[in-house]
Amino acid sequence: MSKAVSALDGATFEGFAKVAETGLRGMITVRGDLASKEMAAAVKATTGAAVPAQRKVVTGDKGAVAWMSPDELLVVVDYDQAEAAVAQMNEALKGSHALVANVSDARAVFRLTGDGNRDVLAKLAPVDFAHEAFGADDIRRSRIAQVPAAVWGNADGSFEVICFRSVAQYVFDVLKVSAEVGGEVNHLG
């Protein structure tokens, strides 16, 4: 069996903000009735978190769960726990109309840190990244330049960008260009 590797092997770039691929992460797409007691129990058992409100991320003691659409969640766990989490959720949702799929190897994640990280994102996505509009535990599905992506805010002021693994190099490159010294906007910092 081959060894799992992240899309860009931990690539980083330091400009007026830092862009870093975060490495392997367990990610599970869950579709179904988000208001059902079965979904609430499955999410709680798997992550220790509640089903999040619209456009929110909730963190528990075993993982995090992000609202992706009215019938979709993204469950985030340690990479080596993803298959067990899928099995656990499938068992908990047995008899419910639901889909649980491990998408860990189909995604890449980047972390943006530094005072200018909001400006980096604002150059690339049609989202309001002002402090009062986008805070910790907020998530948006949108695009980064020309490709689909999701962005979520962390309590430490950093942001996570999730994209398809197939476009990871492109996303890294556009984030890098947007964060180059000399390209500061100093609008949202």
Side-chain angles (χ1 to χ4, degrees), residues 49-175:
V51 172
Q54 184 175 352
R55 296 184 179 167
K56 292 293 182 181
V57 177
V58 180
T59 302
D61 58 346
K62 296 181 273 183
V65 59
W67 183 94
M68 299 302 280
S69 75
D71 70 345
E72 182 181 358
L73 300 173
L74 179 66
V75 173
V76 181
V77 295
D78 289 339
Y79 182 81
D80 60 351
Q81 297 300 310
E83 284 300 323
V86 167
Q88 180 179 11
M89 292 198 80
N90 273 322
E91 183 62 30
L93 293 168
K94 196 161 133 184
S96 298
H97 183 70
L99 168 84
V100 180
N102 183 350
V103 297
S104 306
D105 294 328
R107 304 287 189 266
V109 183
F110 298 94
R111 180 178 291 258
L112 275 74
T113 56
D115 292 339
N117 61 6
R118 289 177 184 272
D119 284 334
V120 170
L121 290 168
K123 291 180 190 181
L124 298 170
V127 174
D128 185 353
F129 286 106
H131 290 277
E132 60 277 359
F134 200 110
D137 301 324
D138 283 342
I139 188 165
R140 297 293 183 280
R141 280 177 100 161
S142 185
R143 62 182 168 83
I144 294 293
Q146 300 298 313
V147 297
V151 179
W152 91 39
N154 293 310
D156 65 1
S158 67
F159 290 91
E160 309 262 338
V161 176
I162 302 168
C163 66
F164 291 112
R165 183 184 181 107
S166 60
V167 296
Q169 186 66 59
Y170 172 80
V171 171
F172 180 71
D173 290 346
V174 296
L175 289 169

